[in-house]
Amino acid sequence: MNRDVNTLTRKAYAKINLGLDVVGRLENGYHQVRMIMQAVGLYDVLTFRAAKSGIGITTDSGELPTGEDNLICRAARLLMETYGVEAGVEIHLEKHIPIAAGMAGGSTDAAATLQGLNDLFALQLSQEQLRQLGVQIGADVPYCIMGGTALAEGIGEVLTPLPPAPQGTILIARPDIRVSTKYVYEHLDAGETWQHPDIDGMRSAIESGDLAGVTERLGNVLETVTVEAYPVIAQLKREMLSCGAMGSLMSGSGPTVFGIYGSGEQARAARDCLEKKGLARELFVTGFV
Ligand code: ATP
């Protein structure tokens, strides 16, 4: 966070899911999940500037709304109305996280907005208070406020922080398709059965710093829907593994696929290989945060 008198800048990190299980469904339609969340070194940059009144949003992304539909605006309004902030704010979003890709890009921007405005207006709200606001915007927002490595249960808002996951180099590949989260969950409900990933085993592997234990337990039940509908996801996973990944998985509801590599050299070689094959629209080599 950088700060001059009236301006403040914050990074909003993307996440991947090392594990994602669906364990039930609530009457209101929400799914009960068990997820291992992991922040990665790919981030948006948000700049907040105090203003006389109103909430103004600008962005370098040509694809995002700048009005009330932007989660940044919803987060700012919720916080400012709940805590009676009378001043206004101008927020600029520099977008780097792929949109609608299963990396919680909107949720992390909302989380950074709650945190940024808490600082800008010196509200001194606790992380717990910010998380309570966050869950009203989206189930992943409380995790994005916490960051790092965490077990997320309930609808995603019941959080247990975990020690930092053992470091590998991460290759992230976003194919040139959009996947609707709603479509994925609806089709999952219609499906028969699926194999539950070993979330507890993953947690133990993280706690004991066992990278191989993590990579052999990567699992995401939502792949049962997306891999069938979008063959490029399976193809990306295969290519990542054949280029030496210790493990590969789709993140969230997709379509982003990541691979975990034992070295930066291997991950960069895999990136070059995927680039040549034209399987991904965007590729990033990064690490866990
Ligand atoms: P998740 O992993 O939580 O399912 P996602 O990465 O799949 O999220 P997002 O990038 O958060 O998806 O975008 C989902 C939708 O939210 C998009 O249709 C987009 O227009 C809308 N949206 C609103 N505000 C933002 C924002 N600040 N950044 C990204 N998307 C936003």
Side-chain angles (χ1 to χ4, degrees), residues 15 64 69-71 95 99-107 109 140 181:
K15 63 85 185 158
L64 286 177
D69 286 344
N70 197 304
L71 294 180
K95 193 74 190 168
I99 297 165
M103 302 194 77
S107 302
D109 289 348
D140 283 348
T181 304

Side-chain angles (χ1 to χ4, degrees), residues 168-169 261-268:
T169 305
Y261 292 81
S263 77
E265 224 166 71
Q266 271 181 321
R268 283 187 290 275

Side-chain angles (χ1 to χ4, degrees), residues 48-274:
F48 306 91
R49 191 185 301 273
K52 281 213 175 103
S53 63
I55 298 169
I57 296 179
T58 53
T59 176
D60 62 356
S61 162
E63 299 175 54
L64 286 177
T66 51
E68 297 293 326
D69 286 344
N70 197 304
L71 294 180
I72 294 173
C73 187
R74 287 187 49 203
R77 191 168 305 289
L78 179 66
L79 178 131
M80 291 163 74
E81 284 181 1
T82 306
Y83 290 98
V85 175
E86 279 170 12
V89 64
E90 281 164 18
I91 305 173
H92 181 71
L93 167 67
E94 201 183 295
K95 193 74 190 168
H96 300 286
I97 303 172
I99 297 165
M103 302 194 77
S107 302
T108 195
D109 289 348
T113 300
L114 295 175
Q115 293 170 305
L117 296 189
N118 186 32
D119 291 342
L120 187 74
F121 297 126
L123 298 174
Q124 296 190 316
L125 302 176
S126 66
Q127 198 182 98
E128 185 48 39
Q129 285 171 301
L130 293 177
R131 281 198 237 155
Q132 278 169 16
L133 291 175
V135 73
Q136 296 174 52
I137 298 163
D140 283 348
V141 180
Y143 160 72
C144 293
I145 291 170
M146 175 186 269
T149 312
L151 170 67
E153 295 171 293
I155 60 165
E157 88 293 16
V158 180
L159 297 170
T160 308
L162 299 177
Q167 276 293 346
T169 305
I170 316 303
L171 173 61
I172 291 171
R174 190 191 44 108
D176 198 6
I177 50 171
R178 286 278 169 94
V179 175
S180 135
T181 304
K182 193 162 166 269
Y183 166 90
V184 175
Y185 275 100
E186 277 173 7
H187 282 74
L188 184 76
D189 290 337
E192 290 290 295
T193 48
W194 59 81
Q195 241 197 322
H196 292 276
D198 180 10
I199 299 289
D200 293 319
M202 171 72 75
R203 177 185 178 164
S204 305
I206 290 170
E207 284 170 344
S208 54
D210 173 11
L211 183 59
V214 169
T215 55
E216 72 201 24
R217 289 182 179 82
L218 295 174
N220 179 350
V221 293
L222 303 182
E223 279 188 350
T224 55
V225 176
T226 51
V227 162
E228 208 172 298
Y230 305 100
V232 67
I233 293 174
Q235 211 179 339
L236 274 171
K237 289 182 66 176
R238 270 197 309 274
E239 291 292 339
M240 289 220 184
L241 292 170
S242 77
C243 293
M246 298 171 73
S248 177
L249 192 71
M250 181 185 81
S251 183
S253 51
T256 297
V257 172
F258 65 89
I260 302 181
Y261 292 81
S263 77
E265 224 166 71
Q266 271 181 321
R268 283 187 290 275
R271 176 196 58 197
D272 295 346
C273 167
L274 289 182

